[in-house]
Amino acid sequence: MKANTVIFTLFISMIAVISACNRPSADKFFQRTVLNTNILHDFAQASFTRTLTSTMVAHKGMPADQQQNNQAQQIVEAKIAYVEQTIGRIEDMTPPDADAGAIKGKSLALYHYVLPVYKKEYMDIAVRCDKKEDVEVIEQLALAVEEKYGEGFENLYLEVLELGKAYAEKHNLNVKFGN
């Protein structure tokens, strides 16, 4: 009987230790759920379109066979990979306190909002850039993305930032937010 009690106590202790390992500090949680959203700052913005269309320029002095033909696609693929990785990391985290649950939910909503757009619309734009199609057509497609998704993105992004500001203040995190 005593051996069973000891084994049960050890088992419960191990579960507590394992659960605690997945519970990040307030700072780490904030970094992953709020600060990592900076990677999305150019979503539904003309600046991201310029990044993609800049890959269409041939570089002087570099032989054509050495120039990459899928640079724009690589940029979008990198964004997709980062967003998917961040979603997985956020989903795996246990919020360190009650306030963090709302941040986790809003942050995941933001990442899930942009992911299909990167996979479909932005990948289509990237393929067109890599094929060196008409820039005006590409810019019209990008403008359609901005018009369709820009406001929704901005609303979600600002919600994450507002929750993040309150969380950082409450936990005395040394964070400065831009205007």
PDB file of all heavy atoms in Angstrom, residues 20-41:
ATOM      1  N   ALA A  20       4.759  22.080 -16.199  1.00  0.00           N
ATOM      2  CA  ALA A  20       5.466  23.334 -15.935  1.00  0.00           C
ATOM      3  C   ALA A  20       6.481  23.640 -17.029  1.00  0.00           C
ATOM      4  O   ALA A  20       6.741  24.801 -17.339  1.00  0.00           O
ATOM      5  CB  ALA A  20       6.149  23.277 -14.578  1.00  0.00           C
ATOM      6  N   CYS A  21       7.051  22.613 -17.630  1.00  0.00           N
ATOM      7  CA  CYS A  21       8.033  22.824 -18.689  1.00  0.00           C
ATOM      8  C   CYS A  21       7.401  23.481 -19.911  1.00  0.00           C
ATOM      9  O   CYS A  21       8.077  24.166 -20.662  1.00  0.00           O
ATOM     10  CB  CYS A  21       8.675  21.497 -19.107  1.00  0.00           C
ATOM     11  SG  CYS A  21       9.742  20.809 -17.833  1.00  0.00           S
ATOM     12  N   ASN A  22       6.131  23.266 -20.113  1.00  0.00           N
ATOM     13  CA  ASN A  22       5.436  23.833 -21.267  1.00  0.00           C
ATOM     14  C   ASN A  22       4.827  25.199 -20.946  1.00  0.00           C
ATOM     15  O   ASN A  22       4.243  25.814 -21.792  1.00  0.00           O
ATOM     16  CB  ASN A  22       4.361  22.867 -21.746  1.00  0.00           C
ATOM     17  CG  ASN A  22       3.903  23.191 -23.145  1.00  0.00           C
ATOM     18  OD1 ASN A  22       4.638  23.769 -23.930  1.00  0.00           O
ATOM     19  ND2 ASN A  22       2.676  22.826 -23.452  1.00  0.00           N
ATOM     20  N   ARG A  23       4.962  25.650 -19.724  1.00  0.00           N
ATOM     21  CA  ARG A  23       4.402  26.933 -19.303  1.00  0.00           C
ATOM     22  C   ARG A  23       5.528  27.963 -19.321  1.00  0.00           C
ATOM     23  O   ARG A  23       6.366  27.994 -18.447  1.00  0.00           O
ATOM     24  CB  ARG A  23       3.798  26.820 -17.909  1.00  0.00           C
ATOM     25  CG  ARG A  23       2.990  28.017 -17.494  1.00  0.00           C
ATOM     26  CD  ARG A  23       2.337  27.803 -16.138  1.00  0.00           C
ATOM     27  NE  ARG A  23       1.493  26.642 -16.089  1.00  0.00           N
ATOM     28  CZ  ARG A  23       0.188  26.638 -16.381  1.00  0.00           C
ATOM     29  NH1 ARG A  23      -0.398  27.745 -16.749  1.00  0.00           N
ATOM     30  NH2 ARG A  23      -0.532  25.544 -16.290  1.00  0.00           N
ATOM     31  N   PRO A  24       5.527  28.819 -20.344  1.00  0.00           N
ATOM     32  CA  PRO A  24       6.618  29.789 -20.474  1.00  0.00           C
ATOM     33  C   PRO A  24       6.480  30.937 -19.477  1.00  0.00           C
ATOM     34  O   PRO A  24       5.411  31.156 -18.903  1.00  0.00           O
ATOM     35  CB  PRO A  24       6.437  30.307 -21.902  1.00  0.00           C
ATOM     36  CG  PRO A  24       4.970  30.192 -22.132  1.00  0.00           C
ATOM     37  CD  PRO A  24       4.546  28.945 -21.396  1.00  0.00           C
ATOM     38  N   SER A  25       7.555  31.676 -19.304  1.00  0.00           N
ATOM     39  CA  SER A  25       7.500  32.883 -18.491  1.00  0.00           C
ATOM     40  C   SER A  25       6.617  33.907 -19.211  1.00  0.00           C
ATOM     41  O   SER A  25       6.340  33.779 -20.410  1.00  0.00           O
ATOM     42  CB  SER A  25       8.907  33.449 -18.308  1.00  0.00           C
ATOM     43  OG  SER A  25       9.401  33.923 -19.552  1.00  0.00           O
ATOM     44  N   ALA A  26       6.219  34.926 -18.492  1.00  0.00           N
ATOM     45  CA  ALA A  26       5.396  35.979 -19.098  1.00  0.00           C
ATOM     46  C   ALA A  26       6.150  36.637 -20.254  1.00  0.00           C
ATOM     47  O   ALA A  26       5.565  36.927 -21.299  1.00  0.00           O
ATOM     48  CB  ALA A  26       5.013  37.017 -18.048  1.00  0.00           C
ATOM     49  N   ASP A  27       7.450  36.842 -20.095  1.00  0.00           N
ATOM     50  CA  ASP A  27       8.257  37.470 -21.136  1.00  0.00           C
ATOM     51  C   ASP A  27       8.332  36.591 -22.384  1.00  0.00           C
ATOM     52  O   ASP A  27       8.135  37.063 -23.499  1.00  0.00           O
ATOM     53  CB  ASP A  27       9.659  37.764 -20.598  1.00  0.00           C
ATOM     54  CG  ASP A  27      10.512  38.501 -21.610  1.00  0.00           C
ATOM     55  OD1 ASP A  27      10.014  39.481 -22.196  1.00  0.00           O
ATOM     56  OD2 ASP A  27      11.665  38.088 -21.822  1.00  0.00           O
ATOM     57  N   LYS A  28       8.617  35.329 -22.199  1.00  0.00           N
ATOM     58  CA  LYS A  28       8.722  34.400 -23.340  1.00  0.00           C
ATOM     59  C   LYS A  28       7.372  34.294 -24.053  1.00  0.00           C
ATOM     60  O   LYS A  28       7.310  34.286 -25.280  1.00  0.00           O
ATOM     61  CB  LYS A  28       9.171  33.026 -22.838  1.00  0.00           C
ATOM     62  CG  LYS A  28       9.433  32.035 -23.905  1.00  0.00           C
ATOM     63  CD  LYS A  28      10.888  31.954 -24.126  1.00  0.00           C
ATOM     64  CE  LYS A  28      11.229  30.783 -25.010  1.00  0.00           C
ATOM     65  NZ  LYS A  28      12.492  31.032 -25.668  1.00  0.00           N
ATOM     66  N   PHE A  29       6.312  34.213 -23.275  1.00  0.00           N
ATOM     67  CA  PHE A  29       4.978  34.138 -23.860  1.00  0.00           C
ATOM     68  C   PHE A  29       4.693  35.386 -24.688  1.00  0.00           C
ATOM     69  O   PHE A  29       4.214  35.300 -25.819  1.00  0.00           O
ATOM     70  CB  PHE A  29       3.924  33.982 -22.754  1.00  0.00           C
ATOM     71  CG  PHE A  29       2.528  33.907 -23.276  1.00  0.00           C
ATOM     72  CD1 PHE A  29       2.013  32.710 -23.740  1.00  0.00           C
ATOM     73  CD2 PHE A  29       1.725  35.043 -23.329  1.00  0.00           C
ATOM     74  CE1 PHE A  29       0.722  32.639 -24.251  1.00  0.00           C
ATOM     75  CE2 PHE A  29       0.443  34.984 -23.835  1.00  0.00           C
ATOM     76  CZ  PHE A  29      -0.057  33.776 -24.291  1.00  0.00           C
ATOM     77  N   PHE A  30       5.006  36.552 -24.138  1.00  0.00           N
ATOM     78  CA  PHE A  30       4.796  37.811 -24.825  1.00  0.00           C
ATOM     79  C   PHE A  30       5.594  37.867 -26.126  1.00  0.00           C
ATOM     80  O   PHE A  30       5.081  38.275 -27.163  1.00  0.00           O
ATOM     81  CB  PHE A  30       5.196  38.974 -23.908  1.00  0.00           C
ATOM     82  CG  PHE A  30       5.043  40.314 -24.537  1.00  0.00           C
ATOM     83  CD1 PHE A  30       3.818  40.957 -24.542  1.00  0.00           C
ATOM     84  CD2 PHE A  30       6.120  40.938 -25.138  1.00  0.00           C
ATOM     85  CE1 PHE A  30       3.671  42.208 -25.130  1.00  0.00           C
ATOM     86  CE2 PHE A  30       5.987  42.186 -25.730  1.00  0.00           C
ATOM     87  CZ  PHE A  30       4.756  42.820 -25.721  1.00  0.00           C
ATOM     88  N   GLN A  31       6.834  37.446 -26.076  1.00  0.00           N
ATOM     89  CA  GLN A  31       7.674  37.464 -27.269  1.00  0.00           C
ATOM     90  C   GLN A  31       7.080  36.612 -28.374  1.00  0.00           C
ATOM     91  O   GLN A  31       7.037  37.015 -29.537  1.00  0.00           O
ATOM     92  CB  GLN A  31       9.082  36.975 -26.941  1.00  0.00           C
ATOM     93  CG  GLN A  31       9.885  37.962 -26.135  1.00  0.00           C
ATOM     94  CD  GLN A  31      11.252  37.432 -25.797  1.00  0.00           C
ATOM     95  OE1 GLN A  31      11.809  36.618 -26.523  1.00  0.00           O
ATOM     96  NE2 GLN A  31      11.801  37.886 -24.683  1.00  0.00           N
ATOM     97  N   ARG A  32       6.620  35.434 -28.031  1.00  0.00           N
ATOM     98  CA  ARG A  32       6.121  34.507 -29.047  1.00  0.00           C
ATOM     99  C   ARG A  32       4.765  34.914 -29.594  1.00  0.00           C
ATOM    100  O   ARG A  32       4.510  34.768 -30.779  1.00  0.00           O
ATOM    101  CB  ARG A  32       6.048  33.095 -28.458  1.00  0.00           C
ATOM    102  CG  ARG A  32       5.766  32.063 -29.527  1.00  0.00           C
ATOM    103  CD  ARG A  32       6.150  30.679 -29.135  1.00  0.00           C
ATOM    104  NE  ARG A  32       7.594  30.552 -29.049  1.00  0.00           N
ATOM    105  CZ  ARG A  32       8.204  29.625 -28.329  1.00  0.00           C
ATOM    106  NH1 ARG A  32       7.505  28.747 -27.653  1.00  0.00           N
ATOM    107  NH2 ARG A  32       9.514  29.548 -28.288  1.00  0.00           N
ATOM    108  N   THR A  33       3.888  35.433 -28.751  1.00  0.00           N
ATOM    109  CA  THR A  33       2.528  35.719 -29.202  1.00  0.00           C
ATOM    110  C   THR A  33       2.327  37.141 -29.705  1.00  0.00           C
ATOM    111  O   THR A  33       1.481  37.370 -30.573  1.00  0.00           O
ATOM    112  CB  THR A  33       1.505  35.461 -28.079  1.00  0.00           C
ATOM    113  OG1 THR A  33       1.855  36.272 -26.945  1.00  0.00           O
ATOM    114  CG2 THR A  33       1.455  33.998 -27.698  1.00  0.00           C
ATOM    115  N   VAL A  34       3.083  38.096 -29.183  1.00  0.00           N
ATOM    116  CA  VAL A  34       2.875  39.490 -29.566  1.00  0.00           C
ATOM    117  C   VAL A  34       4.037  40.006 -30.416  1.00  0.00           C
ATOM    118  O   VAL A  34       3.831  40.486 -31.530  1.00  0.00           O
ATOM    119  CB  VAL A  34       2.668  40.392 -28.323  1.00  0.00           C
ATOM    120  CG1 VAL A  34       2.483  41.846 -28.733  1.00  0.00           C
ATOM    121  CG2 VAL A  34       1.478  39.914 -27.508  1.00  0.00           C
ATOM    122  N   LEU A  35       5.242  39.906 -29.924  1.00  0.00           N
ATOM    123  CA  LEU A  35       6.378  40.468 -30.664  1.00  0.00           C
ATOM    124  C   LEU A  35       6.606  39.761 -31.997  1.00  0.00           C
ATOM    125  O   LEU A  35       6.999  40.405 -32.966  1.00  0.00           O
ATOM    126  CB  LEU A  35       7.654  40.418 -29.825  1.00  0.00           C
ATOM    127  CG  LEU A  35       7.730  41.418 -28.684  1.00  0.00           C
ATOM    128  CD1 LEU A  35       9.084  41.337 -27.998  1.00  0.00           C
ATOM    129  CD2 LEU A  35       7.457  42.836 -29.132  1.00  0.00           C
ATOM    130  N   ASN A  36       6.368  38.476 -32.065  1.00  0.00           N
ATOM    131  CA  ASN A  36       6.564  37.751 -33.329  1.00  0.00           C
ATOM    132  C   ASN A  36       5.620  38.213 -34.428  1.00  0.00           C
ATOM    133  O   ASN A  36       5.865  37.944 -35.602  1.00  0.00           O
ATOM    134  CB  ASN A  36       6.404  36.240 -33.123  1.00  0.00           C
ATOM    135  CG  ASN A  36       7.680  35.594 -32.646  1.00  0.00           C
ATOM    136  OD1 ASN A  36       8.727  36.218 -32.557  1.00  0.00           O
ATOM    137  ND2 ASN A  36       7.591  34.317 -32.330  1.00  0.00           N
ATOM    138  N   THR A  37       4.569  38.926 -34.076  1.00  0.00           N
ATOM    139  CA  THR A  37       3.653  39.420 -35.109  1.00  0.00           C
ATOM    140  C   THR A  37       4.307  40.491 -35.971  1.00  0.00           C
ATOM    141  O   THR A  37       3.777  40.830 -37.032  1.00  0.00           O
ATOM    142  CB  THR A  37       2.346  39.976 -34.496  1.00  0.00           C
ATOM    143  OG1 THR A  37       2.658  41.073 -33.635  1.00  0.00           O
ATOM    144  CG2 THR A  37       1.587  38.893 -33.740  1.00  0.00           C
ATOM    145  N   ASN A  38       5.454  41.007 -35.549  1.00  0.00           N
ATOM    146  CA  ASN A  38       6.170  41.998 -36.364  1.00  0.00           C
ATOM    147  C   ASN A  38       6.508  41.458 -37.747  1.00  0.00           C
ATOM    148  O   ASN A  38       6.633  42.229 -38.695  1.00  0.00           O
ATOM    149  CB  ASN A  38       7.445  42.456 -35.663  1.00  0.00           C
ATOM    150  CG  ASN A  38       7.152  43.360 -34.498  1.00  0.00           C
ATOM    151  OD1 ASN A  38       6.112  43.998 -34.434  1.00  0.00           O
ATOM    152  ND2 ASN A  38       8.063  43.411 -33.553  1.00  0.00           N
ATOM    153  N   ILE A  39       6.667  40.154 -37.878  1.00  0.00           N
ATOM    154  CA  ILE A  39       6.989  39.555 -39.174  1.00  0.00           C
ATOM    155  C   ILE A  39       5.856  39.800 -40.175  1.00  0.00           C
ATOM    156  O   ILE A  39       6.062  39.756 -41.382  1.00  0.00           O
ATOM    157  CB  ILE A  39       7.294  38.044 -39.041  1.00  0.00           C
ATOM    158  CG1 ILE A  39       7.901  37.467 -40.318  1.00  0.00           C
ATOM    159  CG2 ILE A  39       6.044  37.260 -38.699  1.00  0.00           C
ATOM    160  CD1 ILE A  39       9.314  37.826 -40.554  1.00  0.00           C
ATOM    161  N   LEU A  40       4.688  40.100 -39.673  1.00  0.00           N
ATOM    162  CA  LEU A  40       3.518  40.303 -40.524  1.00  0.00           C
ATOM    163  C   LEU A  40       3.272  41.777 -40.855  1.00  0.00           C
ATOM    164  O   LEU A  40       2.282  42.101 -41.509  1.00  0.00           O
ATOM    165  CB  LEU A  40       2.262  39.744 -39.834  1.00  0.00           C
ATOM    166  CG  LEU A  40       2.334  38.294 -39.358  1.00  0.00           C
ATOM    167  CD1 LEU A  40       1.077  37.937 -38.583  1.00  0.00           C
ATOM    168  CD2 LEU A  40       2.568  37.349 -40.507  1.00  0.00           C
ATOM    169  N   HIS A  41       4.159  42.661 -40.440  1.00  0.00           N
ATOM    170  CA  HIS A  41       3.924  44.100 -40.570  1.00  0.00           C
ATOM    171  C   HIS A  41       3.610  44.547 -41.995  1.00  0.00           C
ATOM    172  O   HIS A  41       2.926  45.539 -42.196  1.00  0.00           O
ATOM    173  CB  HIS A  41       5.116  44.892 -40.028  1.00  0.00           C
ATOM    174  CG  HIS A  41       6.279  44.917 -40.964  1.00  0.00           C
ATOM    175  ND1 HIS A  41       7.163  43.865 -41.064  1.00  0.00           N
ATOM    176  CD2 HIS A  41       6.684  45.848 -41.862  1.00  0.00           C
ATOM    177  CE1 HIS A  41       8.064  44.157 -41.983  1.00  0.00           C
ATOM    178  NE2 HIS A  41       7.807  45.347 -42.481  1.00  0.00           N
TER     179      HIS A  41
END
